[in-house]
Each structure stands twice: as C-alpha cells, then as structure tokens.
C-alpha cells in the first residue's frame, strides 16, 4: 500500500520535527563530500548549528554551475557504492550529472509510487510510459514507480505515434505518462487513424516535463476523456516524485518528508510568503550518495500551506510559472513564455500549436506570435479572420503589456514534433 497516512497527514509540528532531524543528518552526510566540506566549514555550519528549519538559511546556496564544475566532489560515498547516474536534459547549457546508490533508487521508486497511488493508480492498471528513457529521469523514474505499485508497465518510450496508439489499443492502457504538447500533437494521429481516444479505457494521465497552462490540461482531459495530473520533479532532486497533484487538482503536494522546500524572492533571495511567486530551492533530506543542500532550481512558483480537502497536510506547490533563466525581455518588459500559452489556450478558436519569434529591426525588438487556428474557424472571410487576429492581439497585449504581431495560420502548418515543443525562436542577434 502506498497511502502512507502516518507520514502524509503528519501535523505541522511533527512534520517540522522530522524535517529538522533529517536536515541535520543531511548536513552531517554532506560534510563527507569535498565540495560541501569546503562550503560548510567556510560558512561555519555544522549539524549542531542547525537548531531550527530557519537555520537552513545559514547554508550557502548550491547552483547548477557548482554541479557542472565540481560534480564528483559532491559524492558522499565511494564510487563503488553507486549503481546509477542520470543527467539533466541540458536545454539551458551543459548537462549536470547526478549519482545514485541502490538505496536512493529504492527511495525514489517509493516516492513515485506514492504519487501515482495518490491520483488513483492501483495494482492491475496498465501503465503506458511515453517518456524518453536513458539519461532523462522522467522515463525510468515513472517506470520504477509503476512497477513498484504493481502496474503492468509498458516502456513505450517517446515518439513513434502510430505505435503508441497501437500499444494503447492492443493492451488496454488505463494510465499514461506523456508530455502535454505531445498529447495534443498525438490527437492528429488518432484522427488520421479514425480512432477516438475517448473510446479507449484510458482514465488517468500524468503530464509534465514542460510548463503548461490549466487550459492545456483541460483540453487534454476533454480530448482523451480522462483526468490529467500535473507533477513536478528535476533530476537534481531525483527526478519525478518531488511534488504531485492529488485528486483535488489544486496544487502539487511536496513530499516534505524527503525534500525541504524554500520559495525565495528572486531579487533578494529571502523567503517569500505563501501565495507569492518566487524561486524554488530544495534540499534533499533522505538521499545518501549525493545529497544537495539548498539547490537553486531557477523554477518560479508559489506555495499554499492551507489544509487540503484530500487530508494531506504537506504544502502544495502551484503550477510552475516560468524560470528565472527563460525570461524574455521585450522593450523593458519581463515576459515568460507560459504567459503567452495561457492566453492562447484559453481561446476556443486556437488550435494546439503556436510559435513565438523574436526579431530586431532598426534596433527595435519585434515579437511575432504565429497561431494555428482550428479548421472550422479558418474561413475565407477576411473580416472574420481579421477580427480574430485583433482579438488575440488585444488579449496578449492585456497580459504581456506589449503589443505583438499576430499571424494566423492553418492548422498543422507550424513545426511540430514528438518531444518537447519548440515554442520560442529568438533571432534578435541576427538583426
């Protein structure tokens, strides 16, 4: 059973006591690594100096650059005790490598199984894992969690859309794990094959690996006839299984018995209040081979510490609002790509794909948003199309505070793929 009521419903005081004990143990373990021994000794931090959870702020922050430069120096065990390594996707630069002991792998599988169980997955479900395997943590993380829970697990991997649909049909998949943009892209293949995904026994989907809006989630649910759950993870903290939605679908419960979460003001790096968007910073509380202290994720979100109707008492993390390092600055205005998606996906006329192009002309930044329009709305009536283009432009201007150039295109004409969607192309350095 992966409903651990004793842990998941711990009163706040007991949870904080557990976290404090594990934080002190983690600091002691971290001192076994060359990197943290230098950092902690320089900061005067010892396990005994951590007397409350607020004392975590005495510990220096850890960054991705630290991992890139000093990766093996983070290890707290001999390499002979390591059984796995994973690496981040490296979309914002050189990949970072994380090492795992056998105990770390087992604990990770338990957390993912706990997460899946919370949404309603049970032994006997047929789980089709449509994420990439290999160095990326998403595929193997969910795979081990599904098997640990007792699901018939199909390691389908990413891509090969026709085969994905065939596997769903042949083996009666009830649960899928899929990138949200690919879930919408896959609908084109269902249509071409004359198959309605709502006729399949699918009932649950886990969507993640890229930011997505609530409207995109609702589109996926309506098109597939299932409940889609948001999840959060990052390779530096294991992978998937850091935070997960419960059936309330109102924020992702952070597994605070395994991770100490901070939300910091991006400018001052001081704690942000509940409901205030800030940068997520995590500390491992149970990892043995390579614990990380106060790791800066660069992800932006807020948290809610109010009781959840599901009965779990652990904090709920909001949908990821963007990153501190993928922010677009147009005419002095800070814009996150997810803001654009939230506007577009809320409009019924918009299809599943769009592309933002940034260019520069006469030293002036120009943002062009190319939007696929649903076939029934893409008519030869120029007045209707112009009215729609104007409405989209005004909606984006209201949200972004800058006026983009909006181009309407027919469905299926923008580049689309079977992996993470490419939503932004920045050509300003070319102009």
């Amino acid at each position: 059973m992966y409903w651990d009521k004793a842990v998941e419903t711990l009163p706040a005081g007991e949870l904080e006591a557990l976290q404090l004990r594990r934080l002190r143990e983690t600091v002691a373990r971290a001192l076994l690594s060359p990197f943290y021994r230098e950092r902690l000794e320089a900061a005067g931090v010892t396990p005994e100096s951590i007397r409350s959870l607020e004392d975590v702020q005495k510990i220096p922050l850890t960054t991705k650059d630290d991992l890139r430069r000093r990766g093996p120096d983070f290890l707290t065990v001999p390499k002979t005790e390591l059984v796995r390594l994973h690496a981040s996707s490296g979309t914002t630069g050189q990949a970072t490598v994380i090492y795992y002991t056998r105990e770390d792998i087992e604990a990770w599988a338990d957390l993912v199984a706990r997460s899946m169980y919370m949404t309603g997955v049970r032994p006997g479900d047929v789980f089709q894992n449509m994420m990439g395997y290999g160095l990326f943590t998403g595929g193997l993380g969910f795979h081990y969690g599904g098997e640990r829970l007792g699901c018939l697990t199909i390691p389908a991997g990413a891509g090969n859309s026709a085969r994905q649909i065939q596997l769903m049909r042949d083996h009666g998949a009830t649960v899928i794990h899929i990138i949200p943009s690919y879930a919408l892209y896959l609908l084109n293949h269902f249509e071409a094959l004359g198959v309605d995904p709502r006729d399949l026994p699918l009932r649950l989907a886990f969507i993640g690996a890229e930011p997505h809006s609530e409207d995109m989630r609702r589109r996926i649910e309506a098109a597939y006839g299932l409940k889609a759950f948001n999840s959060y993870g990052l390779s530096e903290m294991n992978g998937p299984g850091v935070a997960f939605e419960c059936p309330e679908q109102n924020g992702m419960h952070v597994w605070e018995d395994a991770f100490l979460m901070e939300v910091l003001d991006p400018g001052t790096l001081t704690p942000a209040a509940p409901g205030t968007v800030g940068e997520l910073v995590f500390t491992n509380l149970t990892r043995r081979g390579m614990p990380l202290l106060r790791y800066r994720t660069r992800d932006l979100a807020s948290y809610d510490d109010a009781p959840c109707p599901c009965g779990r008492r652990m904090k709920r993390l909001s949908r990821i609002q963007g990153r501190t390092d993928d922010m677009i600055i147009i005419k002095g205005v800070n814009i996150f790509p997810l803001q654009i998606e939230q506007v577009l996906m809320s409009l019924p006329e918009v299809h599943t794909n769009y592309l933002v192009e940034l260019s520069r002309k006469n030293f002036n930044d120009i943002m062009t948003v190319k939007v696929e329009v649903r076939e029934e709305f893409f008519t030869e009536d120029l007045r209707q199309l112009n009215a729609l283009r104007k409405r989209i432009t005004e909606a984006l201007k209201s949200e972004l505070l800058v006026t983009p150039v909006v181009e309407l295109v027919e469905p299926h004409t923008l580049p689309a793929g079977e992996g993470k969607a490419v939503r932004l192309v920045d050509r300003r350095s070319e102009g």
Side-chain angles (χ1 to χ4, degrees), residues 353-426:
N353 207 4
Y354 65 92
L355 179 67
V356 180
E357 291 184 344
L358 304 180
S359 57
R360 184 166 290 152
K361 185 176 181 181
N362 296 327
F363 305 103
N364 186 40
D365 286 347
I366 300 170
M367 180 168 65
T368 302
V369 183
K370 297 181 178 180
V371 183
E372 287 187 0
V373 178
R374 291 181 182 273
E375 193 168 352
E376 60 267 32
F377 295 106
F378 201 91
T379 68
E380 295 182 358
D381 189 329
L382 292 179
R383 289 177 301 178
Q384 289 186 15
L385 287 177
N386 282 331
L388 175 59
R389 181 176 56 80
K390 183 177 180 181
R391 188 152 57 85
I392 294 175
T393 302
E394 290 299 318
L396 288 170
K397 179 182 177 182
S398 176
E399 171 66 23
L400 308 177
L401 304 180
V402 298
T403 304
V405 176
V406 174
E407 295 182 6
L408 304 182
V409 300
E410 295 184 69
H412 315 306
T413 56
L414 291 176
E418 298 183 337
K420 289 187 181 182
V422 177
R423 302 295 197 194
L424 174 68
V425 177
D426 193 341

Coordinates of all heavy atoms in Angstrom, one line a residue, residues 353-426:
N353 N -1.2 24.4 -31.6 CA 0.2 24.8 -31.8 C 0.4 26.3 -32.0 O -0.5 26.9 -32.6 CB 0.8 24.0 -33.0 CG 2.3 23.8 -32.9 OD1 2.9 24.2 -31.9 ND2 2.9 23.3 -33.9
Y354 N 1.5 26.8 -31.6 CA 1.8 28.2 -31.8 C 3.3 28.4 -31.8 O 4.1 27.5 -31.3 CB 1.2 29.1 -30.8 CG 1.7 28.9 -29.4 CD1 2.8 29.7 -28.9 CD2 1.1 27.9 -28.6 CE1 3.3 29.4 -27.6 CE2 1.6 27.7 -27.3 CZ 2.7 28.5 -26.8 OH 3.2 28.3 -25.6
L355 N 3.8 29.5 -32.3 CA 5.3 29.7 -32.3 C 5.5 31.2 -32.1 O 4.9 32.1 -32.7 CB 5.9 29.3 -33.6 CG 7.4 29.5 -33.8 CD1 8.2 28.6 -32.9 CD2 7.8 29.3 -35.3
V356 N 6.4 31.5 -31.2 CA 6.8 32.9 -30.9 C 8.2 33.2 -31.5 O 9.1 32.4 -31.2 CB 6.9 33.2 -29.4 CG1 7.3 34.6 -29.1 CG2 5.5 32.9 -28.7
E357 N 8.3 34.2 -32.4 CA 9.5 34.5 -33.0 C 9.9 35.9 -32.5 O 9.1 36.9 -32.6 CB 9.4 34.5 -34.5 CG 9.2 33.1 -35.1 CD 9.2 33.0 -36.6 OE1 9.0 34.1 -37.2 OE2 9.4 31.9 -37.1
L358 N 11.1 36.1 -32.1 CA 11.7 37.4 -31.7 C 12.7 37.8 -32.7 O 13.6 37.0 -33.1 CB 12.4 37.3 -30.3 CG 11.5 36.7 -29.2 CD1 12.3 36.7 -27.9 CD2 10.3 37.6 -29.0
S359 N 12.5 39.0 -33.2 CA 13.4 39.6 -34.2 C 13.8 41.0 -33.9 O 13.2 41.6 -32.9 CB 12.8 39.5 -35.6 OG 11.6 40.2 -35.7
R360 N 14.7 41.6 -34.6 CA 15.0 43.0 -34.4 C 15.2 43.8 -35.7 O 15.8 43.3 -36.6 CB 16.4 43.0 -33.6 CG 16.8 44.4 -33.2 CD 17.9 44.3 -32.2 NE 17.4 43.8 -30.9 CZ 18.2 43.2 -30.0 NH1 19.4 42.9 -30.3 NH2 17.7 42.8 -28.9
K361 N 14.5 44.9 -35.7 CA 14.6 45.8 -36.9 C 14.8 47.2 -36.5 O 14.0 47.7 -35.7 CB 13.3 45.6 -37.7 CG 13.3 46.4 -39.1 CD 12.0 46.1 -39.8 CE 12.0 46.8 -41.2 NZ 10.7 46.6 -41.9
N362 N 15.8 47.8 -37.1 CA 16.2 49.2 -36.8 C 16.3 49.4 -35.2 O 15.8 50.3 -34.7 CB 15.1 50.2 -37.3 CG 15.1 50.1 -38.8 OD1 16.1 49.9 -39.5 ND2 13.9 50.3 -39.4
F363 N 17.0 48.4 -34.6 CA 17.3 48.4 -33.2 C 16.0 48.3 -32.3 O 16.0 48.6 -31.2 CB 18.0 49.6 -32.8 CG 19.3 49.8 -33.5 CD1 19.4 50.8 -34.6 CD2 20.4 49.1 -33.2 CE1 20.5 50.9 -35.3 CE2 21.6 49.2 -33.9 CZ 21.7 50.2 -35.0
N364 N 14.9 47.8 -33.0 CA 13.6 47.7 -32.3 C 13.2 46.2 -32.2 O 13.2 45.5 -33.2 CB 12.5 48.4 -33.0 CG 11.2 48.5 -32.2 OD1 11.2 48.6 -31.0 ND2 10.1 48.3 -32.9
D365 N 12.9 45.7 -31.0 CA 12.5 44.3 -30.8 C 11.1 44.1 -31.3 O 10.2 44.9 -31.0 CB 12.6 43.9 -29.3 CG 14.1 43.7 -28.8 OD1 15.0 43.7 -29.7 OD2 14.3 43.7 -27.6
I366 N 10.9 43.0 -32.0 CA 9.6 42.7 -32.5 C 9.3 41.3 -32.1 O 10.1 40.3 -32.3 CB 9.6 42.8 -34.1 CG1 9.9 44.2 -34.5 CG2 8.2 42.4 -34.6 CD1 10.1 44.3 -36.0
M367 N 8.1 41.1 -31.5 CA 7.6 39.8 -31.1 C 6.5 39.4 -32.0 O 5.4 40.0 -32.0 CB 7.1 39.7 -29.7 CG 6.6 38.3 -29.2 SD 6.4 38.2 -27.4 CE 5.1 39.3 -27.2
T368 N 6.7 38.3 -32.8 CA 5.7 37.8 -33.7 C 5.1 36.5 -33.1 O 5.9 35.6 -32.8 CB 6.2 37.6 -35.1 OG1 6.7 38.8 -35.6 CG2 5.1 37.1 -36.1
V369 N 3.8 36.4 -33.0 CA 3.2 35.2 -32.5 C 2.4 34.5 -33.6 O 1.4 35.1 -34.1 CB 2.3 35.5 -31.3 CG1 1.7 34.2 -30.7 CG2 3.0 36.2 -30.2
K370 N 2.9 33.4 -34.1 CA 2.2 32.7 -35.1 C 1.2 31.6 -34.5 O 1.7 30.8 -33.6 CB 3.2 31.9 -36.1 CG 4.1 32.9 -36.8 CD 5.0 32.2 -37.7 CE 5.9 33.2 -38.5 NZ 6.8 32.5 -39.4
V371 N 0.0 31.7 -34.8 CA -1.1 30.9 -34.1 C -1.8 30.1 -35.1 O -2.4 30.6 -36.1 CB -2.0 31.9 -33.4 CG1 -3.1 31.1 -32.6 CG2 -1.3 32.8 -32.5
E372 N -1.8 28.8 -34.8 CA -2.7 27.9 -35.6 C -4.1 28.1 -35.2 O -4.4 28.1 -34.0 CB -2.3 26.4 -35.5 CG -1.0 26.1 -36.2 CD -0.7 24.6 -36.1 OE1 -1.5 23.8 -35.5 OE2 0.3 24.1 -36.6
V373 N -5.0 28.2 -36.2 CA -6.5 28.4 -35.9 C -7.2 27.1 -36.3 O -6.9 26.4 -37.3 CB -7.0 29.5 -36.8 CG1 -8.5 29.7 -36.6 CG2 -6.3 30.8 -36.4
R374 N -8.1 26.7 -35.5 CA -8.9 25.5 -35.7 C -9.6 25.6 -37.1 O -10.0 26.7 -37.6 CB -10.0 25.3 -34.7 CG -9.5 24.9 -33.3 CD -10.6 24.7 -32.3 NE -10.2 24.4 -31.0 CZ -9.9 23.2 -30.6 NH1 -10.0 22.2 -31.4 NH2 -9.5 23.0 -29.3
E375 N -9.7 24.4 -37.8 CA -10.1 24.4 -39.2 C -11.5 25.1 -39.3 O -11.7 25.8 -40.3 CB -10.2 22.9 -39.6 CG -10.3 22.8 -41.1 CD -10.1 21.4 -41.6 OE1 -9.6 20.5 -40.8 OE2 -10.3 21.1 -42.8
E376 N -12.4 24.8 -38.4 CA -13.7 25.4 -38.6 C -13.8 26.9 -38.5 O -14.7 27.6 -38.9 CB -14.7 24.8 -37.5 CG -14.3 25.0 -36.1 CD -13.5 23.9 -35.5 OE1 -12.7 23.2 -36.3 OE2 -13.6 23.6 -34.3
F377 N -12.7 27.5 -37.9 CA -12.7 28.9 -37.8 C -11.8 29.6 -38.8 O -11.8 30.8 -39.0 CB -12.1 29.4 -36.4 CG -13.1 28.9 -35.3 CD1 -12.7 27.9 -34.4 CD2 -14.3 29.6 -35.0 CE1 -13.6 27.5 -33.4 CE2 -15.1 29.3 -34.0 CZ -14.8 28.2 -33.2
F378 N -11.0 28.8 -39.5 CA -10.1 29.3 -40.6 C -10.9 29.4 -41.9 O -10.8 28.5 -42.7 CB -8.9 28.5 -40.7 CG -7.7 29.2 -41.3 CD1 -6.8 29.9 -40.6 CD2 -7.6 29.3 -42.7 CE1 -5.8 30.6 -41.1 CE2 -6.5 30.0 -43.3 CZ -5.6 30.7 -42.5
T379 N -11.6 30.4 -42.1 CA -12.5 30.6 -43.2 C -11.9 31.6 -44.2 O -10.8 32.1 -44.0 CB -13.9 31.2 -42.8 OG1 -13.7 32.5 -42.3 CG2 -14.5 30.3 -41.7
E380 N -12.5 31.7 -45.4 CA -12.1 32.6 -46.4 C -12.6 34.0 -46.2 O -12.3 35.0 -46.9 CB -12.5 32.1 -47.8 CG -11.8 30.8 -48.2 CD -12.2 30.4 -49.6 OE1 -13.1 31.1 -50.2 OE2 -11.7 29.3 -50.0
D381 N -13.4 34.2 -45.1 CA -13.9 35.5 -44.8 C -12.8 36.3 -44.1 O -12.5 36.1 -42.9 CB -15.1 35.4 -43.9 CG -15.9 36.7 -43.7 OD1 -15.2 37.7 -43.7 OD2 -17.1 36.7 -43.5
L382 N -12.2 37.2 -44.8 CA -11.1 38.0 -44.2 C -11.5 38.9 -43.0 O -10.7 39.1 -42.1 CB -10.5 38.9 -45.3 CG -9.7 38.1 -46.4 CD1 -9.1 39.1 -47.4 CD2 -8.6 37.3 -45.8
R383 N -12.8 39.3 -43.1 CA -13.3 40.1 -42.0 C -13.3 39.4 -40.6 O -12.9 39.9 -39.6 CB -14.6 40.7 -42.3 CG -14.7 41.8 -43.4 CD -16.1 42.2 -43.7 NE -16.9 41.0 -44.1 CZ -18.2 41.1 -44.4 NH1 -18.9 42.3 -44.3 NH2 -18.8 40.0 -44.8
Q384 N -13.7 38.1 -40.7 CA -13.7 37.3 -39.5 C -12.3 37.0 -39.0 O -12.0 37.0 -37.8 CB -14.5 35.9 -39.8 CG -16.0 36.1 -40.0 CD -16.7 34.8 -40.1 OE1 -16.1 33.7 -39.8 NE2 -17.9 34.8 -40.5
L385 N -11.4 36.7 -39.9 CA -10.0 36.4 -39.6 C -9.3 37.6 -39.0 O -8.6 37.5 -38.0 CB -9.2 35.9 -40.8 CG -9.6 34.4 -41.2 CD1 -8.7 34.1 -42.5 CD2 -9.3 33.4 -40.1
N386 N -9.6 38.8 -39.6 CA -9.0 40.0 -39.0 C -9.5 40.3 -37.6 O -8.8 40.8 -36.8 CB -9.3 41.2 -40.0 CG -8.3 41.1 -41.2 OD1 -7.2 40.6 -41.1 ND2 -8.8 41.7 -42.3
A387 N -10.8 40.0 -37.5 CA -11.4 40.3 -36.1 C -10.8 39.3 -35.1 O -10.6 39.7 -34.0 CB -13.0 40.1 -36.2
L388 N -10.6 38.1 -35.5 CA -10.0 37.1 -34.6 C -8.5 37.5 -34.3 O -8.1 37.5 -33.1 CB -10.0 35.7 -35.2 CG -9.3 34.6 -34.4 CD1 -9.9 34.5 -33.0 CD2 -9.4 33.3 -35.1
R389 N -7.8 37.9 -35.3 CA -6.4 38.3 -35.1 C -6.3 39.5 -34.1 O -5.5 39.6 -33.3 CB -5.8 38.7 -36.4 CG -4.3 39.1 -36.3 CD -3.7 39.4 -37.7 NE -4.5 40.4 -38.4 CZ -4.4 41.7 -38.3 NH1 -3.6 42.2 -37.4 NH2 -5.2 42.5 -39.0
K390 N -7.3 40.5 -34.3 CA -7.3 41.7 -33.5 C -7.6 41.2 -32.0 O -7.0 41.8 -31.1 CB -8.3 42.6 -34.0 CG -8.4 43.9 -33.2 CD -9.4 44.9 -33.7 CE -9.4 46.2 -32.9 NZ -10.4 47.2 -33.5
R391 N -8.5 40.3 -31.9 CA -8.9 39.9 -30.5 C -7.8 39.2 -29.8 O -7.5 39.4 -28.6 CB -10.1 38.9 -30.6 CG -10.8 38.6 -29.2 CD -12.2 38.3 -29.4 NE -12.5 37.2 -30.3 CZ -12.5 35.9 -30.0 NH1 -12.2 35.6 -28.8 NH2 -12.7 35.0 -30.9
I392 N -7.0 38.3 -30.5 CA -5.9 37.6 -30.0 C -4.8 38.7 -29.6 O -4.2 38.6 -28.5 CB -5.3 36.6 -31.0 CG1 -6.3 35.5 -31.1 CG2 -4.0 36.0 -30.4 CD1 -5.9 34.4 -32.2
T393 N -4.6 39.6 -30.5 CA -3.6 40.7 -30.2 C -3.9 41.4 -29.0 O -3.0 41.7 -28.1 CB -3.5 41.7 -31.4 OG1 -3.2 40.9 -32.6 CG2 -2.4 42.7 -31.2
E394 N -5.2 41.8 -28.8 CA -5.6 42.6 -27.6 C -5.5 41.8 -26.4 O -5.1 42.3 -25.3 CB -7.0 43.1 -27.8 CG -7.2 44.2 -28.8 CD -6.4 45.4 -28.5 OE1 -6.3 45.8 -27.3 OE2 -5.7 46.0 -29.4
A395 N -5.8 40.5 -26.5 CA -5.7 39.6 -25.3 C -4.2 39.4 -24.9 O -3.9 39.5 -23.7 CB -6.3 38.2 -25.6
L396 N -3.3 39.3 -25.8 CA -1.9 39.2 -25.5 C -1.4 40.5 -24.9 O -0.6 40.5 -24.0 CB -1.1 38.7 -26.7 CG -1.3 37.3 -27.2 CD1 -0.7 37.1 -28.5 CD2 -0.7 36.3 -26.2
K397 N -1.8 41.6 -25.6 CA -1.3 42.9 -25.1 C -1.8 43.1 -23.6 O -1.0 43.7 -22.8 CB -1.9 44.0 -26.0 CG -1.5 45.4 -25.6 CD -2.1 46.5 -26.5 CE -1.7 47.9 -26.0 NZ -2.4 48.9 -26.9
S398 N -3.0 42.7 -23.3 CA -3.5 42.9 -22.0 C -2.7 42.1 -20.9 O -2.5 42.6 -19.8 CB -5.0 42.5 -21.9 OG -5.5 42.6 -20.6
E399 N -2.3 40.9 -21.3 CA -1.5 40.1 -20.4 C 0.0 40.5 -20.3 O 0.6 40.5 -19.3 CB -1.6 38.6 -20.8 CG -0.7 37.7 -20.1 CD -1.0 37.5 -18.6 OE1 -2.2 37.8 -18.2 OE2 -0.1 37.1 -17.9
L400 N 0.6 40.8 -21.5 CA 2.0 41.0 -21.6 C 2.5 42.4 -21.4 O 3.6 42.7 -21.2 CB 2.5 40.4 -22.9 CG 2.1 39.0 -23.3 CD1 2.7 38.7 -24.7 CD2 2.7 38.0 -22.3
L401 N 1.5 43.4 -21.7 CA 1.8 44.8 -21.6 C 2.7 45.3 -22.8 O 3.2 46.4 -22.8 CB 2.5 45.2 -20.3 CG 1.7 44.8 -19.0 CD1 2.4 45.3 -17.8 CD2 0.3 45.4 -19.1
V402 N 2.9 44.4 -23.8 CA 3.5 44.8 -25.1 C 2.6 44.3 -26.2 O 1.8 43.4 -26.0 CB 4.9 44.3 -25.2 CG1 5.8 44.8 -24.2 CG2 4.9 42.8 -25.2
T403 N 2.7 45.0 -27.4 CA 1.8 44.6 -28.5 C 2.5 43.7 -29.4 O 3.5 44.1 -30.1 CB 1.3 45.8 -29.2 OG1 0.6 46.7 -28.3 CG2 0.3 45.4 -30.3
P404 N 2.2 42.4 -29.6 CA 2.8 41.5 -30.5 C 2.2 41.6 -31.9 O 1.1 42.2 -32.1 CB 2.6 40.2 -29.9 CG 1.2 40.3 -29.3 CD 1.1 41.7 -28.8
V405 N 3.0 41.1 -32.9 CA 2.4 41.0 -34.2 C 1.9 39.5 -34.3 O 2.6 38.6 -34.0 CB 3.5 41.1 -35.3 CG1 3.0 40.8 -36.7 CG2 4.1 42.5 -35.2
V406 N 0.6 39.4 -34.5 CA -0.1 38.1 -34.6 C -0.3 37.7 -36.0 O -0.9 38.5 -36.8 CB -1.4 38.2 -33.8 CG1 -2.2 36.9 -33.9 CG2 -1.2 38.5 -32.3
E407 N 0.1 36.5 -36.3 CA -0.2 35.9 -37.6 C -1.0 34.7 -37.5 O -0.6 33.8 -36.7 CB 1.2 35.6 -38.3 CG 2.0 36.8 -38.7 CD 3.3 36.4 -39.4 OE1 3.4 35.2 -39.8 OE2 4.1 37.3 -39.7
L408 N -2.1 34.6 -38.2 CA -3.0 33.4 -38.1 C -2.6 32.4 -39.3 O -2.4 32.9 -40.4 CB -4.4 33.8 -38.2 CG -4.9 34.8 -37.2 CD1 -6.4 35.1 -37.4 CD2 -4.7 34.3 -35.8
V409 N -2.4 31.2 -38.9 CA -2.1 30.2 -39.9 C -3.0 29.0 -39.8 O -3.7 28.8 -38.8 CB -0.6 29.7 -39.8 CG1 0.3 30.9 -39.9 CG2 -0.4 29.0 -38.5
E410 N -3.1 28.2 -40.9 CA -3.9 27.0 -40.9 C -3.4 25.9 -39.9 O -2.2 25.9 -39.6 CB -4.0 26.4 -42.3 CG -4.7 27.3 -43.3 CD -4.8 26.7 -44.6 OE1 -5.6 25.7 -44.7 OE2 -4.2 27.1 -45.6
P411 N -4.3 25.1 -39.4 CA -3.8 24.0 -38.5 C -2.8 23.1 -39.2 O -2.9 22.9 -40.4 CB -5.1 23.3 -38.1 CG -6.1 23.6 -39.2 CD -5.7 25.0 -39.6
H412 N -1.9 22.6 -38.4 CA -0.9 21.6 -38.8 C 0.2 22.2 -39.8 O 0.9 21.5 -40.5 CB -1.5 20.4 -39.5 CG -2.7 19.8 -38.8 ND1 -2.6 19.5 -37.4 CD2 -3.9 19.6 -39.2 CE1 -3.8 19.0 -37.1 NE2 -4.6 19.1 -38.1
T413 N 0.3 23.5 -39.8 CA 1.3 24.1 -40.7 C 2.6 24.6 -39.9 O 3.6 24.8 -40.6 CB 0.7 25.4 -41.4 OG1 0.2 26.3 -40.4 CG2 -0.4 24.9 -42.3
L414 N 2.5 24.7 -38.6 CA 3.7 25.1 -37.8 C 4.5 23.8 -37.5 O 3.9 22.7 -37.4 CB 3.3 25.8 -36.6 CG 2.7 27.2 -36.8 CD1 2.3 27.8 -35.4 CD2 3.7 28.2 -37.4
P415 N 5.8 24.0 -37.3 CA 6.6 22.8 -36.9 C 6.1 22.1 -35.7 O 5.8 22.8 -34.7 CB 8.0 23.4 -36.7 CG 8.0 24.7 -37.4 CD 6.6 25.2 -37.4
A416 N 6.0 20.8 -35.7 CA 5.6 20.0 -34.6 C 6.4 18.8 -34.5 O 6.9 18.3 -35.5 CB 4.1 19.7 -34.7
G417 N 6.6 18.3 -33.3 CA 7.4 17.1 -33.1 C 6.8 16.2 -32.1 O 5.8 16.5 -31.5
E418 N 7.6 15.2 -31.7 CA 7.1 14.2 -30.8 C 7.8 14.3 -29.4 O 7.6 13.6 -28.5 CB 7.4 12.8 -31.3 CG 6.6 12.5 -32.6 CD 6.7 11.1 -33.1 OE1 7.7 10.5 -32.8 OE2 5.8 10.7 -33.9
G419 N 8.6 15.4 -29.3 CA 9.3 15.6 -28.0 C 8.7 16.9 -27.4 O 7.6 17.4 -27.7
K420 N 9.5 17.6 -26.6 CA 9.1 18.9 -26.1 C 8.9 19.9 -27.2 O 9.7 19.9 -28.1 CB 10.2 19.4 -25.1 CG 10.4 18.7 -23.8 CD 11.3 19.4 -22.9 CE 11.5 18.7 -21.6 NZ 12.4 19.5 -20.7
A421 N 7.8 20.6 -27.1 CA 7.5 21.6 -28.2 C 8.5 22.7 -28.2 O 8.9 23.2 -27.1 CB 6.1 22.1 -28.0
V422 N 8.9 23.2 -29.4 CA 9.7 24.4 -29.5 C 8.7 25.5 -29.7 O 8.1 25.7 -30.8 CB 10.7 24.3 -30.7 CG1 11.4 25.6 -30.9 CG2 11.6 23.1 -30.5
R423 N 8.6 26.4 -28.7 CA 7.6 27.5 -28.7 C 8.3 28.8 -29.0 O 7.5 29.8 -29.3 CB 6.9 27.5 -27.4 CG 6.2 26.2 -27.0 CD 5.0 25.9 -27.9 NE 4.1 25.0 -27.3 CZ 3.2 24.3 -28.0 NH1 3.1 24.5 -29.3 NH2 2.4 23.5 -27.4
L424 N 9.6 28.9 -28.9 CA 10.2 30.2 -28.9 C 11.5 30.1 -29.8 O 12.3 29.3 -29.6 CB 10.6 30.7 -27.5 CG 11.4 32.0 -27.4 CD1 10.5 33.2 -27.9 CD2 11.9 32.2 -26.0
V425 N 11.6 31.1 -30.8 CA 12.8 31.2 -31.6 C 13.2 32.7 -31.5 O 12.5 33.6 -31.8 CB 12.5 30.9 -33.1 CG1 13.7 31.1 -33.9 CG2 12.0 29.4 -33.2
D426 N 14.4 32.9 -31.0 CA 15.0 34.2 -30.8 C 16.0 34.5 -31.8 O 17.1 33.9 -31.9 CB 15.6 34.3 -29.4 CG 15.9 35.8 -29.0 OD1 15.9 36.6 -29.9 OD2 16.0 36.0 -27.8

